[in-house]
Amino acid sequence: MDCLFCKIVEGTIPSTKVYESDSVLAFRDIAPAAPVHIIIIPKKHIATMNDVTGEDDAVIAEVFKAARFIAKELGIAESGYRLINNVNADGGQTFFHLHVHLLGGKNVGPLLADNQS
C-alpha cells in the first residue's frame, strides 16, 4: 500500500509523535496551520470517514479521546482548539487515510469567512 500515513505508522517515514496507543497515533504536522497542529490517525487504514464501519467505532472514539488528552497536555484545552476531518475531494481531503487535524495555540477564527455561507 502506498499510503503516507500507513508508512508513518510502520515507522518507515519519520514523524514527531505526541501520542501513541495500540490503535491510534498522533504527530506534529510538517506544515502547521497554527502554533499547535497535530494529525491524529487510526493505525488501521481507513480511507475516509465514509469507510468507517461498526467495527471501527472504538478506534474512532479513541481518536477523539486522544484529541482531548493532547489538547490538555499541550495546554490548549481551556483556551480552545479545533478538530477537522476532511472527507473526499469536495471536503478538502488530500491524504486518503482517515485523520483529524487538531489546531490551536491561537484564535483559529471562524470556520468560514463572513461573506461565505
Side-chain angles (χ1 to χ4, degrees), residues 54-82:
E55 291 179 3
D56 302 316
D57 288 350
V59 73
I60 297 304
E62 189 174 343
V63 165
F64 285 91
K65 178 181 174 184
R68 291 190 316 270
F69 176 82
I70 294 163
K72 185 174 179 182
E73 287 293 305
L74 297 180
I76 62 170
E78 294 304 316
S79 60
Y81 56 96
R82 177 173 291 156

Side-chain angles (χ1 to χ4, degrees), residues 37-111:
H37 188 167
I38 307 297
I39 304 295
I40 308 168
I41 63 172
K43 289 183 175 180
K44 173 186 175 185
H45 183 84
I46 304 169
T48 77
M49 186 59 86
N50 290 341
D51 300 303
V52 171
T53 68
E55 291 179 3
D56 302 316
D57 288 350
V59 73
I60 297 304
E62 189 174 343
V63 165
F64 285 91
K65 178 181 174 184
R68 291 190 316 270
F69 176 82
I70 294 163
K72 185 174 179 182
E73 287 293 305
L74 297 180
I76 62 170
E78 294 304 316
S79 60
Y81 56 96
R82 177 173 291 156
L83 298 175
I84 301 169
N85 171 248
N86 301 317
V87 180
N88 285 330
D90 281 356
Q93 186 175 8
T94 56
F95 293 101
F96 287 85
H97 183 124
L98 187 144
H99 58 286
V100 173
H101 297 262
L102 185 156
L103 301 167
K106 71 172 190 173
N107 184 325
V108 294
L111 188 55

